[in-house]
Amino acid sequence: MKTRAPSASATLNRRELLGAAAGLAGLSWPARRALAGERWDLIVIGGGTAGLPAAIFAAEHGRVLVIEKSAMLGGTLDRSTGQVAAAGTVFQQARGISDSPDAHYDDIMRINEGTSDPALTRLFVDHAGPTLNWLAANGYTVAPGHPVTGDAHDHYTVARYQWGTPGGWSIYRAMEPQLQRALESGHITTVLGSSAIELIQAPDGSMGGVVVEDASGQRIDYRAPRVLIASGGCASNPQLFEALHGVPLYAQVAHPNSQGAGLLLGLAAGGHIRGGDKYATLLGAIPADERFPSAPVGIAALNATLRQPWEILVNVHGQRFCREDHPSVHALEVAAAAQPGHRHWAIFDQRILESAPPLSRRWTREQQLQVLRNNPAFSSADSLGVLALRAGLDPQGLLRTVAAYNEALTQRRPDPFGLEHRPLPIVQPPFHAIRMQGWTLVSFAGLAVNERLQVTREDGRAIPGLYAAGEVIGAGATSGRAYVNGTLATSALTFGRLLGQTLLTADR
Ligand SMILES: Cc1cc2nc3c(=O)[nH]c(=O)nc-3n(C[C@H](O)[C@H](O)[C@H](O)COP(=O)(O)OP(=O)(O)OC[C@H]3O[C@@H](n4cnc5c(N)ncnc54)[C@H](O)[C@@H]3O)c2cc1C
């Protein structure tokens, strides 16, 4: 069976070119051409977070071909902040932190309310520690003071979460020497700037190889009995994203090649897609304009552990819907996802604007004013009624909401939503509103796989020789309907490494 995936884009953006320059600086492998008639033990589609460890470890046992759509390797590691989490790491040992995969599993399931796949989450936590230790043995280091219990998302109960320095690219750098050795020895061959567009299957459904198209449109069939789809998710493909999640792609933040090609390849090979219902929203994206997807001009830290709120949050009806300083970011995200259009407006007055710390950790107050002044998401008015009209809110609803908030505060009564940090009432004109958007940077829907990471049909039967790892199996697989610190990059690395270690050593 063959299917056509979205066509390759030959255009490289500036970031890709810069990344290519950075990535290739240390790599100088012989430019070996993969020939059409050659047979490989494994073809990896996508040389990114999951694909590279898979190729590196599989190359110890056979010949591996990596097909990569970009002109560079590394995938989303070029932009990921590189937040990773695992139990039993050398970083924990160095700080005397006791942890276990069981505790990691329990924390993930507590934060995502038991919504990730139990078998895949188990597989992930059991192998995540050795994966980070492998990176550490190859020079990967973490930020000072890490591991910590958390940062942007709900915290773990144990410090097992860390950022690489510098960011996600530090993970690529740690893999680079092994990658280079395997490239030089010919155990890994890469085909860069080319897209996997079809899977070649025997009549019984088993894998036979991959049809690849280069930037000029030339096609070559590459043959292998095993194919690993590691081509990332679909969070740069608005149509496919919305079709799979039932929610528009509000923000464009993902790698441009996260077009969902692997999802379509797996689907056409007989696999099925699950997990769109696990869509979870992040908070506080300030969109650049009215269009979707939009590149946010900033992300407000609607997270009491990072910044105590001075503003109230309302929906399009002008009604509050959450305790703004709720200790659980996940709880806030769930509340925001229940609002029309996943939109939320921060409402405040002039005194708050002049007194509160900037909404984003990345801004000074001056930068914040500069960003907001030119942004259609920012509205101001001398009365709350006019503010509501300018911001697109229900005026009566907003008037009632602000009156109730101010009354409870000035009369020293508890806030109706339990908000504890309420330093100032909203009384001094001009009044301000910032329209914010719920958003995501990953796709939650993905190819169904079993606990051996084999792509499965709807009846649960595995497609012989077809595997998937990384975001193509859906962020929901290990993160569930939530954002759990470090769960995505770490599981992509972990599952890639695990497949690389096992695929060519056992008759799977
Ligand atoms: C800005 C940003 C920050 C993030 N930060 C974090 C974080 O800190 N912690 C965390 O846990 N998660 C984070 N994530 C999510 C996480 O980084 C990703 O889920 C993970 O890196 C995906 O890995 P992958 O291997 O599936 O895909 P990628 O790393 O994107 O690799 C896929 C590769 O496949 C290639 N490709 C695509 N289509 C084809 C095709 N048809 N043929 C050949 N090649 C193809 C792509 O070019 C790419 O190189 C972040 C995501 C983003 C966008």
Side-chain angles (χ1 to χ4, degrees):
M1 185 192 290
K2 290 187 173 187
T3 185
R4 188 164 303 285
S7 66
S9 160
T11 320
L12 293 179
N13 63 28
R14 186 169 168 272
R15 186 161 200 157
E16 281 182 302
L17 289 169
L18 288 175
L24 295 174
L27 277 179
S28 54
W29 67 89
R32 186 183 177 285
R33 272 190 74 82
L35 302 175
E38 282 184 87
R39 289 191 72 82
W40 309 88
D41 295 305
L42 169 68
I43 294 177
V44 178
I45 302 175
T49 319
L52 288 179
I56 287 168
F57 282 93
E60 292 175 9
H61 308 284
R63 296 180 68 239
V64 181
L65 183 69
V66 177
I67 311 293
E68 170 51 53
K69 183 172 177 174
S70 296
M72 61 178 283
L73 297 172
T76 296
L77 292 174
D78 72 349
R79 66 203 65 214
S80 162
T81 21
Q83 303 168 43
V84 291
T89 65
V90 290
F91 307 113
Q92 290 179 315
Q93 280 156 22
R95 301 192 58 217
I97 297 162
S98 152
D99 197 5
S100 69
D102 283 351
H104 191 186
Y105 181 92
D106 290 346
D107 260 347
I108 291 174
M109 290 298 189
R110 170 182 58 80
I111 294 168
N112 71 25
E113 302 178 270
T115 54
S116 57
D117 182 294
L120 293 174
T121 306
R122 186 80 245 171
L123 188 70
F124 160 51
V125 297
D126 284 347
H127 296 272
T131 302
L132 292 199
N133 289 343
W134 159 63
L135 292 175
N138 287 285
Y140 167 78
T141 55
V142 298
H146 285 216
V148 293
T149 54
D151 184 68
H153 311 293
D154 278 11
H155 284 226
Y156 291 122
T157 51
V158 176
R160 67 169 72 90
Y161 157 81
Q162 51 253 307
W163 295 31
T165 49
W169 202 245
S170 63
I171 296 172
Y172 176 81
R173 284 286 184 201
M175 293 193 278
E176 201 175 52
Q178 267 177 286
L179 180 61
Q180 174 143 3
R181 280 196 295 279
L183 288 162
E184 282 169 355
S185 68
H187 287 94
I188 295 179
T189 300
T190 56
V191 178
L192 300 181
S194 299
S195 298
I197 59 164
E198 297 179 14
L199 295 179
I200 302 167
Q201 278 179 289
D204 70 353
S206 60
M207 275 305 113
V210 180
V211 182
V212 174
E213 187 176 83
D214 71 14
S216 70
Q218 191 188 343
R219 293 180 181 190
I220 299 184
D221 290 4
Y222 292 108
R223 300 277 167 181
R226 299 168 201 84
V227 174
L228 167 60
I229 305 178
S231 52
C234 67
S236 284
N237 183 335
Q239 290 78 22
L240 184 59
F241 186 93
E242 187 164 354
L244 293 177
H245 298 86
V247 179
L249 181 66
Y250 289 117
Q252 173 53 64
V253 181
H255 190 289
N257 289 349
S258 295
Q259 297 287 333
L263 291 161
L264 301 180
L265 290 170
L267 199 60
H272 72 109
I273 293 175
R274 63 185 177 187
D277 58 320
K278 294 188 179 168
Y279 177 90
T281 193
L282 292 163
L283 297 167
I286 304 174
D289 49 43
E290 305 286 343
R291 289 169 302 175
F292 297 141
S294 169
V297 294
I299 309 292
L302 305 182
N303 176 338
T305 62
L306 301 178
R307 177 190 181 274
Q308 288 286 323
W310 291 56
E311 309 77 15
I312 56 169
L313 293 178
V314 300
N315 61 18
V316 70
H317 306 302
Q319 297 162 342
R320 287 173 70 199
F321 55 88
C322 64
R323 172 185 162 191
E324 288 81 351
D325 64 356
H326 200 292
S328 164
V329 184
H330 174 64
L332 282 175
E333 290 167 348
V334 170
Q339 306 314 309
H342 295 191
R343 285 185 167 189
H344 35 283
W345 282 255
I347 305 293
F348 50 106
D349 70 2
Q350 185 61 19
R351 206 165 143 217
I352 294 174
L353 181 66
E354 288 165 5
S355 316
L359 279 158
S360 164
R361 284 192 281 182
R362 294 172 187 229
W363 291 338
T364 61
R365 190 167 290 128
E366 291 67 39
Q367 285 168 329
Q368 169 166 297
L369 283 176
Q370 216 167 14
V371 171
L372 292 182
R373 205 173 287 133
N374 302 316
N375 193 293
F378 182 53
S379 310
S380 299
D382 283 337
S383 75
L384 282 166
V386 175
L387 179 75
L389 291 173
R390 287 190 178 152
L393 302 171
D394 173 10
Q396 293 307 320
L398 185 66
L399 286 168
R400 272 196 301 273
T401 295
V402 174
Y405 174 74
N406 286 340
E407 193 183 317
L409 178 55
T410 49
Q411 295 186 3
R412 295 171 190 257
R413 282 194 278 107
D415 176 74
F417 284 82
L419 175 64
E420 289 177 5
H421 188 263
R422 34 181 193 161
L424 291 172
I426 300 170
V427 289
Q428 187 186 308
F431 299 98
H432 306 290
I434 303 174
R435 173 170 50 79
M436 299 178 184
Q437 183 62 56
W439 64 293
T440 186
L441 34 59
V442 292
S443 41
F444 287 79
L447 287 176
V449 292
N450 60 22
E451 65 280 11
R452 294 161 78 188
L453 302 168
Q454 295 170 301
V455 177
T456 55
R457 301 177 190 279
E458 216 143 356
D459 63 10
R461 280 183 303 131
I463 299 169
L466 187 60
Y467 302 83
E471 206 178 302
V472 74
I473 68 168
T478 51
S479 202
R481 196 178 296 112
Y483 293 87
V484 184
N485 280 311
T487 304
L488 302 175
T490 325
S491 66
L493 291 160
T494 301
F495 288 163
R497 176 175 175 268
L498 190 58
L499 281 172
Q501 286 174 322
T502 52
L503 262 181
L504 303 185
T505 53
D507 184 18
R508 295 163 65 96

